[in-house]
Amino acid sequence: TLTGPAPFADETSCQCQAPHEKLTIAQARLGTPVDRPVRVYADGIFDLFHAGHARALMQAKTLFPNSYLIVGVCSDDLTHKFKGFTVMNETERYEALRHCRYVDEVIRDAPWTLTPEFLEKHKIDFVAHDDIPYSSAGSDDVYKHIKEAGMFVPTQRTEGISTSDIITRIVRDYDVYARRNLQRGYTAKELNVSFINEKKYRFQNQVDKMKEKVKNVEEKSKEFVYKVEEKSHDLIQKWEEKSREFIGNFLELFGPDGAWKQMFQERSGRMLQAFSPRQSPNSSPTRGRSPSRSPSPPWVINKTSPPSSPKAASASLSSMSEGDEDEK
């Protein structure tokens, strides 16, 4: 169980007490006694410590069943001399390595080229590094003599990430990071930014803030419009339902076969019956007489229709006399 960072090699507790005998790679892969771990060494700059570094150290740690991983970190002076300027200083790089889970021991101010004296001092069995020739300090490959001695074990590089790639991203997006750090409180002097660029970055930050506010207002407006549309849709739907209900009720009451027409017809029939009662029959019995009328005597002459001539008068008298004879 890991309870603390890996110790430094110059601490007395890190001195190897086990007898150091020369091992071959085949022997190391078969396994060694518990008190005789295979001592593997990996060195580097480890600037901006990232996952590629960690994967390389993981491979070095797991090369053999029983291994002890020692990591050498070069100092700032040596790195600036042979490779270039670093982002992290040596103390930061030392501490980054101490807190990697695969590291058992850290050597500060490690040498650029490994000497037999250094290997013997730290009882190193094998050196782990990627197999790409590393040209530096006037040599085509600083690990050439290690390979010839049979002490070199290769690891695989992690593609897509490196310290140079990270620095390239920072340089490419320099304005973005400068503006971000100015906004976070860093001064133009700390960022090595000129007065004009400082004002430009601060103005751009203000513009970005305004854009963000406008974007927030637009999003809130869209949300408000969406809610209004949703409520309007509900209101229209309810209005349509109420309209259908109203029209249905109106047709039931006032339609062609509605209740209002039936009620009007019933009332109209009652009124007609009230104003026009039934008439008496038009025909009467053949020999019946109306009780209200009395027979006129034969001598009564209808004054309203006098005979138009003497002949007509004589004819009417003769008919009347014949009628009397029939009655007798």
Side-chain angles (χ1 to χ4, degrees):
T1 303
L2 299 177
T3 57
F8 291 118
D10 52 5
E11 296 177 359
T12 54
S13 60
C14 295
Q15 298 298 324
C16 180
Q17 303 299 328
H20 186 262
E21 298 176 358
K22 185 67 175 177
L23 292 174
T24 63
I25 293 178
Q27 290 174 333
R29 286 177 177 168
L30 289 174
T32 57
V34 177
D35 61 343
R36 175 57 174 95
V38 180
R39 294 173 68 83
V40 180
Y41 178 80
D43 60 354
I45 310 302
F46 302 105
D47 191 21
L48 296 175
F49 189 80
H50 51 74
H53 295 142
R55 283 182 57 85
L57 297 177
M58 178 188 71
Q59 294 176 61
K61 176 68 176 178
T62 57
L63 285 170
F64 308 108
N66 182 23
S67 62
Y68 184 86
L69 181 59
I70 306 166
V71 178
V73 184
C74 300
S75 65
D76 286 345
D77 291 339
L78 200 60
T79 303
H80 297 166
K81 179 180 178 182
F82 290 107
K83 190 170 184 178
F85 191 73
T86 58
V87 178
M88 301 170 64
N89 59 46
E90 59 184 25
T91 303
E92 294 169 338
R93 293 184 285 114
Y94 297 154
E95 288 298 321
L97 267 297
R98 290 185 70 196
H99 291 82
C100 179
R101 62 185 300 179
Y102 310 111
V103 178
D104 296 306
E105 183 179 324
V106 176
I107 298 177
R108 292 180 285 195
D109 193 13
W112 198 260
T113 303
L114 301 179
T115 61
E117 293 79 15
F118 178 83
L119 298 175
E120 181 63 28
K121 176 183 177 181
H122 294 281
K123 299 180 182 180
I124 295 171
D125 294 310
F126 301 100
V127 177
H129 199 273
D130 62 80
D131 203 14
I132 301 173
Y134 192 85
S135 59
S136 179
S139 173
D140 294 336
D141 188 1
V142 295
Y143 297 104
K144 183 178 180 180
H145 63 289
I146 303 295
K147 295 176 181 178
E148 293 173 350
M151 299 176 63
F152 185 85
V153 285
T155 58
Q156 298 295 323
R157 291 178 64 89
T158 301
E159 298 297 332
I161 185 169
S162 67
T163 301
S164 299
D165 291 339
I166 296 174
I167 294 175
T168 300
R169 296 179 205 171
I170 297 172
V171 173
R172 181 190 62 197
D173 301 326
Y174 170 78
D175 290 349
V176 176
Y177 296 121
R179 288 167 52 191
R180 182 189 67 178
N181 286 351
L182 280 172
Q183 193 172 5
R184 291 181 175 180
Y186 288 88
T187 63
K189 184 177 180 180
E190 290 173 330
L191 297 173
N192 195 25
V193 173
S194 66
F195 176 80
I196 295 176
N197 285 336
E198 178 190 6
K199 298 303 179 186
K200 181 183 74 173
Y201 293 149
R202 294 192 184 280
F203 177 74
Q204 289 175 343
N205 287 335
Q206 294 296 326
V207 171
D208 289 344
K209 287 182 180 179
M210 291 299 297
K211 288 181 179 179
E212 188 68 23
K213 289 182 180 179
V214 171
K215 184 178 179 181
N216 292 335
V217 171
E218 288 179 352
E219 291 178 354
K220 291 181 180 179
S221 300
K222 289 180 181 178
E223 184 178 358
F224 175 75
V225 170
Y226 175 76
K227 290 182 178 179
V228 170
E229 289 179 351
E230 187 176 6
K231 290 184 177 180
S232 300
H233 180 73
D234 294 339
L235 290 173
I236 291 172
Q237 187 175 4
K238 291 180 180 179
W239 182 83
E240 289 178 350
E241 293 175 357
K242 294 293 183 182
S243 299
R244 293 192 192 99
E245 183 179 356
F246 175 78
I247 293 171
N249 294 335
F250 182 84
L251 292 176
E252 289 180 1
L253 186 61
F254 298 101
D257 299 326
W260 178 260
K261 182 178 180 181
Q262 295 177 1
M263 183 177 65
F264 180 78
Q265 290 176 350
E266 291 177 0
R267 291 187 177 180
S268 298
R270 292 175 184 174
M271 291 176 68
L272 289 173
Q273 290 178 3
F275 285 108
S276 58
R278 291 184 177 180
Q279 295 180 357
S280 55
N282 296 327
S283 60
S284 58
T286 307
R287 303 185 65 84
R289 302 269 184 172
S290 176
S292 59
R293 295 182 61 186
S294 57
S296 301
W299 55 86
V300 178
I301 301 172
N302 190 358
K303 296 181 180 181
T304 58
S305 56
S308 57
S309 62
K311 290 182 180 181
S314 62
S316 63
L317 288 174
S318 63
S319 64
M320 289 174 63
S321 62
E322 288 176 359
D324 292 338
E325 287 178 359
D326 290 338
E327 287 180 358
K328 291 178 180 180

